[in-house]
Amino acid sequence: MVNTNKQSQLDKITSFLKNSSSFTLIKFEKTTHTSLESLRKQLKKNDAKLMVIKNTILQKAINILSSSKENAHLRDIQKQTRNLRENTGLLGFGRDWSLGMNTFFTFSKTDKTVGFKVGVLDKQTYGEESLLRIAELPSRGELVGKMISGMKSPTSHFVNAIKFNIQKFVYILNSKAKQS
């Protein structure tokens, strides 16, 4: 007979994976409960969620979902999660996964007991090294802001250059008027 607690966990993870286009699996070893709770609080501020899960339940959920065409992106994850050994956490993201990734990366620099395993971002599978490189990037909002300021910058420099010459001319005229 199936344990109802495990069945509810399986249903919860299955529905989460089915509705999410971006998530990562993280590893944590010898991490204290208080540090995990502080990580959860930080992630919650950025619309991300951390769930501690059992490896076997995760594998069953992925196996169930990867058989359908709409969840074909999970087949790569299915191959990579066959031999999970360490404790696993499921890190789910809201609309902007870059904020959650950056928050987790910042936390992992201070707490070396946590790290990435594998992840799916916008239905594209990435390994541990790729996730680390992606997490180091600025968030989407920051990148958009830098692009806009870069596009605005030449215009403002041009206006300042024109203003500078006019201001210099006015200054010279004022100094000549005071001399006369």
Side-chain angles (χ1 to χ4, degrees):
M1 188 160 157
V2 179
N3 184 341
T4 57
N5 187 24
K6 288 183 181 180
Q7 184 62 44
S8 69
Q9 286 178 347
L10 178 65
D11 293 340
K12 183 178 177 182
I13 293 169
T14 304
S15 69
F16 177 80
L17 293 175
K18 186 176 183 178
N19 297 326
S20 180
S21 64
S22 300
F23 64 90
T24 61
L25 300 178
I26 63 165
K27 58 185 169 189
F28 60 95
E29 290 294 323
K30 300 178 184 172
T31 306
T32 63
H33 178 73
T34 54
S35 66
L36 274 180
E37 287 303 315
S38 70
L39 174 61
R40 278 190 173 134
K41 287 178 184 176
Q42 291 173 19
L43 289 168
K44 192 174 185 178
K45 292 176 187 175
N46 291 316
D47 196 25
K49 183 178 180 182
L50 176 65
M51 293 187 287
V52 176
I53 55 175
K54 293 181 86 73
N55 291 333
T56 53
I57 294 175
L58 173 67
Q59 289 167 343
K60 286 181 182 182
I62 291 173
N63 289 340
I64 290 168
L65 291 173
S66 63
S67 61
S68 68
K69 285 185 180 180
E70 67 247 8
N71 294 314
H73 63 281
L74 293 176
R75 289 189 184 122
D76 291 333
I77 293 284
Q78 183 182 24
K79 293 174 189 171
Q80 295 181 8
T81 58
R82 284 192 179 131
N83 299 319
L84 289 177
R85 296 281 179 230
E86 301 141 332
N87 294 335
T88 302
L90 179 60
L91 182 57
F93 305 112
R95 291 181 301 148
D96 188 4
W97 51 260
S98 60
L99 292 172
M101 290 278 290
N102 204 318
T103 301
F104 181 77
F105 178 71
T106 304
F107 182 83
S108 69
K109 286 195 291 189
T110 59
D111 189 349
K112 300 292 183 191
T113 61
V114 297
F116 291 111
K117 285 185 178 182
V118 66
V120 174
L121 302 173
D122 295 329
K123 296 189 177 189
Q124 180 71 33
T125 305
Y126 296 96
E128 179 182 356
E129 294 83 23
S130 298
L131 288 172
L132 284 171
R133 286 195 307 256
I134 292 169
E136 289 176 334
L137 296 173
S139 68
R140 287 181 184 176
E142 289 178 54
L143 290 175
V144 168
K146 286 180 181 182
M147 260 181 49
I148 291 171
S149 68
M151 290 162 52
K152 181 183 169 191
S153 183
T155 309
S156 62
H157 287 300
F158 177 72
V159 169
N160 287 337
I162 292 173
K163 262 203 270 183
F164 177 74
N165 290 332
I166 293 171
Q167 287 174 343
K168 190 174 180 183
F169 181 67
V170 168
Y171 177 73
I172 291 172
L173 287 177
N174 283 338
S175 65
K176 288 287 183 186
K178 287 180 183 177
Q179 285 178 0
S180 328

